[in-house]
Amino acid sequence: VAHAYSGVIDIEIDEEKIETTITDKGPGIADIEKAMQEGYSTATPQVREMGFGAGMGLANMKKNSDSMKISSVPGEGTTVQLLTYIKPHAG
């Protein structure tokens, strides 16, 4: 969301899990599979120069969650849904 025009983060927490939904209005991601590769960056050169590690964001989010879904429409925006279990989960 570093280069989105606007965005919303919704977080729901219960005894077993944390569900996070991040929705932005921005340039979107044309190639999600490529964007998931470590080191690849969807950010503009100006954002990458700020040192935010934009090329590691999606891959790190996936590594640190139990489930990740991403959908994006170029020119409209992106939605990322993360699920992280607090307690061990069978399934």
Side-chain angles (χ1 to χ4, degrees):
V1 294
H3 55 285
Y5 311 124
S6 66
V8 175
I9 298 175
D10 290 311
I11 300 173
E12 293 185 33
I13 302 171
D14 64 31
E15 296 170 351
E16 296 182 1
K17 64 188 177 303
I18 302 168
E19 295 179 88
T20 306
T21 302
I22 305 162
T23 305
D24 74 32
K25 293 180 182 178
I29 301 171
D31 188 340
I32 293 172
E33 187 175 320
K34 189 173 186 178
M36 292 300 298
Q37 296 175 10
E38 287 190 24
Y40 179 78
S41 180
T42 60
T44 63
Q46 293 85 1
V47 171
R48 287 194 301 268
E49 288 172 7
M50 289 184 219
F52 289 132
M56 298 299 289
L58 293 174
N60 280 332
M61 290 166 67
K62 184 174 183 176
K63 282 182 185 177
N64 290 288
S65 64
D66 292 300
S67 171
M68 178 175 160
K69 295 178 185 175
I70 184 168
S71 60
S72 187
V73 177
E76 293 184 20
T78 302
T79 298
V80 177
Q81 296 172 295
L82 301 165
L83 175 64
T84 304
Y85 289 102
I86 298 169
K87 297 180 178 181
H89 178 69

